[in-house]
Amino acid sequence: MTAVPRLVLSAPSSGHGTNALAIGLLAALADRGLDVAGFKVGPDHVDAAYLGLAAGRPGRNLDARLVGADRLGPLFAHGAAGAGLAVVQGTMGLYDSVAGRPEAESTAAVATTLRSPVVLVVDVAAMGQSVAALVHGFRSYDDQLWLGGVILTQVASPRHEAMLRAALDDVDVPVYGALRRHELPPVLPARRHGVLPVVGGDAEAARAVRRLGEAVAGTVELDRLLALARSAPALSVEPWSPSPAVPVEGRPLVALAGGPGGSYSYAETAELLRAAGAEVVTVDPLRDEALPAGTRALVVGAGLPESYADELSANRRLCIAVAELARTGRPVLAEGTGLLWLARELDGRPMCGVLDAIGASRDGLVVGYREATARTASVVAEAGATVVGYKQHGAVLTPRAGERPAWSWEGGSPEGFVWRGVHASQLGLHWAAHPAIATRLVSAAGIAEGVGAPA
């Protein structure tokens, strides 16, 4: 059994202020001395990173498509262990699902799985008494959902607030806060910076989180929200554990791309590597000029932002070190932008040159889940194994795949590169669904050096 006070913050759709409120709520309560934990529904690294910065412990993702619905409760219990409050930030609208599976993958489905009350964040800038019909509809749509109340944003005036509160009182929906149009400032660093302000330990990100905490502390009824969170029943799940059945002997050093504020991988990646017997050390691909001494493997997670291609290219010494690590047959796992970093060049800028391929930025994003089959045996998977991953990128690589592709999926040509110990793809995986990756990688980190030509 796991007893953790918890809330799910969601909204009728994107753009209502859920992200800022979730970050601010965690920051406000952490400032009170409460141990808090933050979670993001879906695969998004960025929101999870800021939730983690506000909470003072790693922000985590709860994605039924990536890890399976049966792992959501255990992963939540693991990430929230010891917390006095866990805040789960939803994605899109409460009942929405990117993959069209709202019954299993929406924020509402996650809230039901976690037996958690939902607080609906509603932008009321262009709304009056109709807010009651809107909220009543969301509450009635699913009789398994526990809608505990609302927080109103973009409130115009005291008169407007009184009108909204009266309407919601008529349908017996508690209001936990009403924020004026200036009271939730757009202070977070621009989205194009991705997780880097958090991972890099930038002061701007810390200031933004602090300001959101101050805004929430001054406008939201924190004690009432805590009482609602504490009314959530215990979960009859055992916390997820990263420990493998048979840990690998020895402690090979695995470099994990990141910075002082965390890594570009999901939080469970480092935990699984350590449980498999690795010593995990962070390497900053933008600033460090060498791999940590004794590095036997490198992991570059999908959270590395594409917008820092100039800095990746300029760090020539590290590029050379990565190329040498790959040449000697050591495991190098690269997802997302990591694939582009291993290429010969990106938009004319030299990269690591591990892969005989050229990257080019394009307008628009490729976004979505892929049910992929491994085309080549590697440290990630045996040939023929199937996984679910997530892609979000603008730049593309030519060729799309090497002689030994990483993956294939329905409706697309083979993708990614497998060469010696290298596995590089723009498909990002959540290792909690595939814990054997860590064991395979740590085992492969001891393989003898070899020679060969680039893929």
Side-chain angles (χ1 to χ4, degrees), residues 276-304:
E279 177 186 355
V280 180
V281 178
T282 299
V283 60
D284 189 336
L286 304 178
R287 300 181 180 91
D288 290 339
E289 295 188 350
L291 292 167
T295 293
R296 307 280 287 187
L298 170 66
V299 177
V300 185
L304 181 64

PDB file of all heavy atoms in Angstrom, residues 276-304:
ATOM      1  N   ALA A 276      21.959  -1.693 -12.266  1.00  0.00           N
ATOM      2  CA  ALA A 276      22.616  -2.723 -13.070  1.00  0.00           C
ATOM      3  C   ALA A 276      24.105  -2.816 -12.789  1.00  0.00           C
ATOM      4  O   ALA A 276      24.795  -3.664 -13.355  1.00  0.00           O
ATOM      5  CB  ALA A 276      22.380  -2.454 -14.553  1.00  0.00           C
ATOM      6  N   GLY A 277      24.606  -1.927 -11.947  1.00  0.00           N
ATOM      7  CA  GLY A 277      25.991  -2.023 -11.530  1.00  0.00           C
ATOM      8  C   GLY A 277      26.908  -0.956 -12.068  1.00  0.00           C
ATOM      9  O   GLY A 277      28.121  -1.025 -11.872  1.00  0.00           O
ATOM     10  N   ALA A 278      26.368   0.054 -12.752  1.00  0.00           N
ATOM     11  CA  ALA A 278      27.212   1.090 -13.332  1.00  0.00           C
ATOM     12  C   ALA A 278      27.470   2.219 -12.351  1.00  0.00           C
ATOM     13  O   ALA A 278      26.655   2.500 -11.465  1.00  0.00           O
ATOM     14  CB  ALA A 278      26.560   1.660 -14.591  1.00  0.00           C
ATOM     15  N   GLU A 279      28.613   2.854 -12.532  1.00  0.00           N
ATOM     16  CA  GLU A 279      28.855   4.156 -11.922  1.00  0.00           C
ATOM     17  C   GLU A 279      28.410   5.188 -12.949  1.00  0.00           C
ATOM     18  O   GLU A 279      28.921   5.209 -14.070  1.00  0.00           O
ATOM     19  CB  GLU A 279      30.326   4.347 -11.589  1.00  0.00           C
ATOM     20  CG  GLU A 279      30.646   5.726 -11.007  1.00  0.00           C
ATOM     21  CD  GLU A 279      32.131   5.959 -10.802  1.00  0.00           C
ATOM     22  OE1 GLU A 279      32.919   5.030 -11.028  1.00  0.00           O
ATOM     23  OE2 GLU A 279      32.499   7.095 -10.433  1.00  0.00           O
ATOM     24  N   VAL A 280      27.444   6.020 -12.594  1.00  0.00           N
ATOM     25  CA  VAL A 280      26.879   6.980 -13.543  1.00  0.00           C
ATOM     26  C   VAL A 280      27.432   8.371 -13.243  1.00  0.00           C
ATOM     27  O   VAL A 280      27.321   8.869 -12.119  1.00  0.00           O
ATOM     28  CB  VAL A 280      25.337   6.998 -13.467  1.00  0.00           C
ATOM     29  CG1 VAL A 280      24.756   8.010 -14.454  1.00  0.00           C
ATOM     30  CG2 VAL A 280      24.780   5.601 -13.752  1.00  0.00           C
ATOM     31  N   VAL A 281      28.036   8.978 -14.265  1.00  0.00           N
ATOM     32  CA  VAL A 281      28.614  10.310 -14.149  1.00  0.00           C
ATOM     33  C   VAL A 281      28.054  11.183 -15.269  1.00  0.00           C
ATOM     34  O   VAL A 281      27.952  10.738 -16.415  1.00  0.00           O
ATOM     35  CB  VAL A 281      30.154  10.267 -14.230  1.00  0.00           C
ATOM     36  CG1 VAL A 281      30.740  11.677 -14.153  1.00  0.00           C
ATOM     37  CG2 VAL A 281      30.719   9.395 -13.120  1.00  0.00           C
ATOM     38  N   THR A 282      27.681  12.402 -14.938  1.00  0.00           N
ATOM     39  CA  THR A 282      27.112  13.305 -15.936  1.00  0.00           C
ATOM     40  C   THR A 282      28.208  13.914 -16.798  1.00  0.00           C
ATOM     41  O   THR A 282      29.270  14.302 -16.302  1.00  0.00           O
ATOM     42  CB  THR A 282      26.324  14.426 -15.234  1.00  0.00           C
ATOM     43  OG1 THR A 282      25.259  13.847 -14.478  1.00  0.00           O
ATOM     44  CG2 THR A 282      25.738  15.394 -16.251  1.00  0.00           C
ATOM     45  N   VAL A 283      27.924  14.014 -18.090  1.00  0.00           N
ATOM     46  CA  VAL A 283      28.794  14.754 -19.007  1.00  0.00           C
ATOM     47  C   VAL A 283      27.929  15.792 -19.721  1.00  0.00           C
ATOM     48  O   VAL A 283      26.832  15.489 -20.180  1.00  0.00           O
ATOM     49  CB  VAL A 283      29.487  13.827 -20.026  1.00  0.00           C
ATOM     50  CG1 VAL A 283      28.483  13.062 -20.887  1.00  0.00           C
ATOM     51  CG2 VAL A 283      30.442  14.629 -20.910  1.00  0.00           C
ATOM     52  N   ASP A 284      28.398  17.029 -19.768  1.00  0.00           N
ATOM     53  CA  ASP A 284      27.663  18.117 -20.405  1.00  0.00           C
ATOM     54  C   ASP A 284      28.144  18.253 -21.850  1.00  0.00           C
ATOM     55  O   ASP A 284      29.266  18.692 -22.092  1.00  0.00           O
ATOM     56  CB  ASP A 284      27.901  19.424 -19.647  1.00  0.00           C
ATOM     57  CG  ASP A 284      27.005  20.553 -20.130  1.00  0.00           C
ATOM     58  OD1 ASP A 284      26.544  20.494 -21.289  1.00  0.00           O
ATOM     59  OD2 ASP A 284      26.770  21.494 -19.358  1.00  0.00           O
ATOM     60  N   PRO A 285      27.320  17.881 -22.831  1.00  0.00           N
ATOM     61  CA  PRO A 285      27.765  17.934 -24.227  1.00  0.00           C
ATOM     62  C   PRO A 285      27.997  19.348 -24.740  1.00  0.00           C
ATOM     63  O   PRO A 285      28.642  19.529 -25.775  1.00  0.00           O
ATOM     64  CB  PRO A 285      26.630  17.256 -24.993  1.00  0.00           C
ATOM     65  CG  PRO A 285      25.442  17.361 -24.114  1.00  0.00           C
ATOM     66  CD  PRO A 285      25.960  17.346 -22.709  1.00  0.00           C
ATOM     67  N   LEU A 286      27.517  20.350 -24.019  1.00  0.00           N
ATOM     68  CA  LEU A 286      27.698  21.737 -24.448  1.00  0.00           C
ATOM     69  C   LEU A 286      28.938  22.377 -23.834  1.00  0.00           C
ATOM     70  O   LEU A 286      29.504  23.306 -24.419  1.00  0.00           O
ATOM     71  CB  LEU A 286      26.469  22.565 -24.074  1.00  0.00           C
ATOM     72  CG  LEU A 286      25.127  22.054 -24.599  1.00  0.00           C
ATOM     73  CD1 LEU A 286      24.004  22.948 -24.112  1.00  0.00           C
ATOM     74  CD2 LEU A 286      25.125  21.973 -26.107  1.00  0.00           C
ATOM     75  N   ARG A 287      29.372  21.888 -22.680  1.00  0.00           N
ATOM     76  CA  ARG A 287      30.438  22.581 -21.946  1.00  0.00           C
ATOM     77  C   ARG A 287      31.660  21.724 -21.641  1.00  0.00           C
ATOM     78  O   ARG A 287      32.774  22.226 -21.617  1.00  0.00           O
ATOM     79  CB  ARG A 287      29.882  23.160 -20.644  1.00  0.00           C
ATOM     80  CG  ARG A 287      28.756  24.179 -20.857  1.00  0.00           C
ATOM     81  CD  ARG A 287      28.259  24.727 -19.525  1.00  0.00           C
ATOM     82  NE  ARG A 287      27.191  25.705 -19.706  1.00  0.00           N
ATOM     83  CZ  ARG A 287      25.905  25.399 -19.734  1.00  0.00           C
ATOM     84  NH1 ARG A 287      25.516  24.143 -19.599  1.00  0.00           N
ATOM     85  NH2 ARG A 287      24.990  26.347 -19.895  1.00  0.00           N
ATOM     86  N   ASP A 288      31.478  20.448 -21.375  1.00  0.00           N
ATOM     87  CA  ASP A 288      32.614  19.595 -21.031  1.00  0.00           C
ATOM     88  C   ASP A 288      33.443  19.290 -22.280  1.00  0.00           C
ATOM     89  O   ASP A 288      32.891  18.913 -23.321  1.00  0.00           O
ATOM     90  CB  ASP A 288      32.138  18.287 -20.397  1.00  0.00           C
ATOM     91  CG  ASP A 288      31.559  18.493 -19.011  1.00  0.00           C
ATOM     92  OD1 ASP A 288      31.874  19.530 -18.392  1.00  0.00           O
ATOM     93  OD2 ASP A 288      30.799  17.626 -18.551  1.00  0.00           O
ATOM     94  N   GLU A 289      34.739  19.409 -22.165  1.00  0.00           N
ATOM     95  CA  GLU A 289      35.609  19.173 -23.314  1.00  0.00           C
ATOM     96  C   GLU A 289      36.152  17.758 -23.362  1.00  0.00           C
ATOM     97  O   GLU A 289      36.888  17.399 -24.293  1.00  0.00           O
ATOM     98  CB  GLU A 289      36.762  20.179 -23.306  1.00  0.00           C
ATOM     99  CG  GLU A 289      36.299  21.617 -23.505  1.00  0.00           C
ATOM    100  CD  GLU A 289      37.453  22.585 -23.677  1.00  0.00           C
ATOM    101  OE1 GLU A 289      38.612  22.185 -23.454  1.00  0.00           O
ATOM    102  OE2 GLU A 289      37.190  23.737 -24.049  1.00  0.00           O
ATOM    103  N   ALA A 290      35.806  16.926 -22.394  1.00  0.00           N
ATOM    104  CA  ALA A 290      36.257  15.535 -22.385  1.00  0.00           C
ATOM    105  C   ALA A 290      35.210  14.679 -21.698  1.00  0.00           C
ATOM    106  O   ALA A 290      34.419  15.167 -20.877  1.00  0.00           O
ATOM    107  CB  ALA A 290      37.595  15.417 -21.662  1.00  0.00           C
ATOM    108  N   LEU A 291      35.198  13.409 -22.053  1.00  0.00           N
ATOM    109  CA  LEU A 291      34.373  12.451 -21.326  1.00  0.00           C
ATOM    110  C   LEU A 291      34.998  12.208 -19.954  1.00  0.00           C
ATOM    111  O   LEU A 291      36.208  12.358 -19.780  1.00  0.00           O
ATOM    112  CB  LEU A 291      34.287  11.144 -22.107  1.00  0.00           C
ATOM    113  CG  LEU A 291      33.505  11.191 -23.425  1.00  0.00           C
ATOM    114  CD1 LEU A 291      33.771   9.925 -24.231  1.00  0.00           C
ATOM    115  CD2 LEU A 291      32.007  11.364 -23.168  1.00  0.00           C
ATOM    116  N   PRO A 292      34.211  11.838 -18.949  1.00  0.00           N
ATOM    117  CA  PRO A 292      34.793  11.513 -17.643  1.00  0.00           C
ATOM    118  C   PRO A 292      35.855  10.426 -17.789  1.00  0.00           C
ATOM    119  O   PRO A 292      35.716   9.503 -18.597  1.00  0.00           O
ATOM    120  CB  PRO A 292      33.583  11.014 -16.837  1.00  0.00           C
ATOM    121  CG  PRO A 292      32.399  11.654 -17.494  1.00  0.00           C
ATOM    122  CD  PRO A 292      32.736  11.727 -18.947  1.00  0.00           C
ATOM    123  N   ALA A 293      36.918  10.552 -17.035  1.00  0.00           N
ATOM    124  CA  ALA A 293      38.007   9.577 -17.100  1.00  0.00           C
ATOM    125  C   ALA A 293      37.486   8.174 -16.831  1.00  0.00           C
ATOM    126  O   ALA A 293      36.746   7.951 -15.871  1.00  0.00           O
ATOM    127  CB  ALA A 293      39.090   9.941 -16.085  1.00  0.00           C
ATOM    128  N   GLY A 294      37.840   7.248 -17.697  1.00  0.00           N
ATOM    129  CA  GLY A 294      37.422   5.867 -17.527  1.00  0.00           C
ATOM    130  C   GLY A 294      36.066   5.543 -18.109  1.00  0.00           C
ATOM    131  O   GLY A 294      35.529   4.450 -17.862  1.00  0.00           O
ATOM    132  N   THR A 295      35.477   6.441 -18.906  1.00  0.00           N
ATOM    133  CA  THR A 295      34.154   6.208 -19.485  1.00  0.00           C
ATOM    134  C   THR A 295      34.161   4.948 -20.346  1.00  0.00           C
ATOM    135  O   THR A 295      35.000   4.780 -21.229  1.00  0.00           O
ATOM    136  CB  THR A 295      33.712   7.410 -20.336  1.00  0.00           C
ATOM    137  OG1 THR A 295      33.500   8.533 -19.483  1.00  0.00           O
ATOM    138  CG2 THR A 295      32.413   7.101 -21.082  1.00  0.00           C
ATOM    139  N   ARG A 296      33.184   4.074 -20.079  1.00  0.00           N
ATOM    140  CA  ARG A 296      33.047   2.830 -20.850  1.00  0.00           C
ATOM    141  C   ARG A 296      31.784   2.816 -21.702  1.00  0.00           C
ATOM    142  O   ARG A 296      31.607   1.910 -22.526  1.00  0.00           O
ATOM    143  CB  ARG A 296      33.009   1.641 -19.887  1.00  0.00           C
ATOM    144  CG  ARG A 296      34.156   1.578 -18.909  1.00  0.00           C
ATOM    145  CD  ARG A 296      35.400   1.014 -19.528  1.00  0.00           C
ATOM    146  NE  ARG A 296      35.267  -0.430 -19.733  1.00  0.00           N
ATOM    147  CZ  ARG A 296      36.264  -1.216 -20.140  1.00  0.00           C
ATOM    148  NH1 ARG A 296      37.440  -0.673 -20.403  1.00  0.00           N
ATOM    149  NH2 ARG A 296      36.098  -2.510 -20.296  1.00  0.00           N
ATOM    150  N   ALA A 297      30.897   3.790 -21.515  1.00  0.00           N
ATOM    151  CA  ALA A 297      29.669   3.866 -22.314  1.00  0.00           C
ATOM    152  C   ALA A 297      29.109   5.278 -22.189  1.00  0.00           C
ATOM    153  O   ALA A 297      29.397   5.992 -21.217  1.00  0.00           O
ATOM    154  CB  ALA A 297      28.645   2.842 -21.848  1.00  0.00           C
ATOM    155  N   LEU A 298      28.312   5.666 -23.182  1.00  0.00           N
ATOM    156  CA  LEU A 298      27.703   6.999 -23.212  1.00  0.00           C
ATOM    157  C   LEU A 298      26.228   6.871 -23.551  1.00  0.00           C
ATOM    158  O   LEU A 298      25.862   6.132 -24.479  1.00  0.00           O
ATOM    159  CB  LEU A 298      28.396   7.875 -24.255  1.00  0.00           C
ATOM    160  CG  LEU A 298      27.751   9.229 -24.585  1.00  0.00           C
ATOM    161  CD1 LEU A 298      27.795  10.162 -23.371  1.00  0.00           C
ATOM    162  CD2 LEU A 298      28.449   9.875 -25.787  1.00  0.00           C
ATOM    163  N   VAL A 299      25.382   7.595 -22.817  1.00  0.00           N
ATOM    164  CA  VAL A 299      23.943   7.633 -23.077  1.00  0.00           C
ATOM    165  C   VAL A 299      23.524   9.085 -23.257  1.00  0.00           C
ATOM    166  O   VAL A 299      23.780   9.922 -22.384  1.00  0.00           O
ATOM    167  CB  VAL A 299      23.133   6.986 -21.925  1.00  0.00           C
ATOM    168  CG1 VAL A 299      21.633   7.115 -22.187  1.00  0.00           C
ATOM    169  CG2 VAL A 299      23.531   5.531 -21.739  1.00  0.00           C
ATOM    170  N   VAL A 300      22.881   9.370 -24.387  1.00  0.00           N
ATOM    171  CA  VAL A 300      22.385  10.712 -24.683  1.00  0.00           C
ATOM    172  C   VAL A 300      20.868  10.615 -24.830  1.00  0.00           C
ATOM    173  O   VAL A 300      20.360  10.030 -25.790  1.00  0.00           O
ATOM    174  CB  VAL A 300      22.998  11.292 -25.973  1.00  0.00           C
ATOM    175  CG1 VAL A 300      22.552  12.735 -26.163  1.00  0.00           C
ATOM    176  CG2 VAL A 300      24.517  11.193 -25.942  1.00  0.00           C
ATOM    177  N   GLY A 301      20.126  11.165 -23.869  1.00  0.00           N
ATOM    178  CA  GLY A 301      18.675  11.056 -23.865  1.00  0.00           C
ATOM    179  C   GLY A 301      17.993  12.009 -24.827  1.00  0.00           C
ATOM    180  O   GLY A 301      18.598  12.951 -25.356  1.00  0.00           O
ATOM    181  N   ALA A 302      16.701  11.774 -25.037  1.00  0.00           N
ATOM    182  CA  ALA A 302      15.934  12.502 -26.039  1.00  0.00           C
ATOM    183  C   ALA A 302      15.576  13.924 -25.621  1.00  0.00           C
ATOM    184  O   ALA A 302      14.997  14.665 -26.406  1.00  0.00           O
ATOM    185  CB  ALA A 302      14.652  11.734 -26.373  1.00  0.00           C
ATOM    186  N   GLY A 303      15.926  14.318 -24.398  1.00  0.00           N
ATOM    187  CA  GLY A 303      15.597  15.675 -23.956  1.00  0.00           C
ATOM    188  C   GLY A 303      16.572  16.738 -24.423  1.00  0.00           C
ATOM    189  O   GLY A 303      16.329  17.933 -24.223  1.00  0.00           O
ATOM    190  N   LEU A 304      17.683  16.358 -25.033  1.00  0.00           N
ATOM    191  CA  LEU A 304      18.651  17.338 -25.534  1.00  0.00           C
ATOM    192  C   LEU A 304      18.004  18.172 -26.633  1.00  0.00           C
ATOM    193  O   LEU A 304      17.527  17.631 -27.622  1.00  0.00           O
ATOM    194  CB  LEU A 304      19.881  16.608 -26.081  1.00  0.00           C
ATOM    195  CG  LEU A 304      21.028  17.460 -26.637  1.00  0.00           C
ATOM    196  CD1 LEU A 304      21.646  18.314 -25.537  1.00  0.00           C
ATOM    197  CD2 LEU A 304      22.084  16.572 -27.275  1.00  0.00           C
TER     198      LEU A 304
END
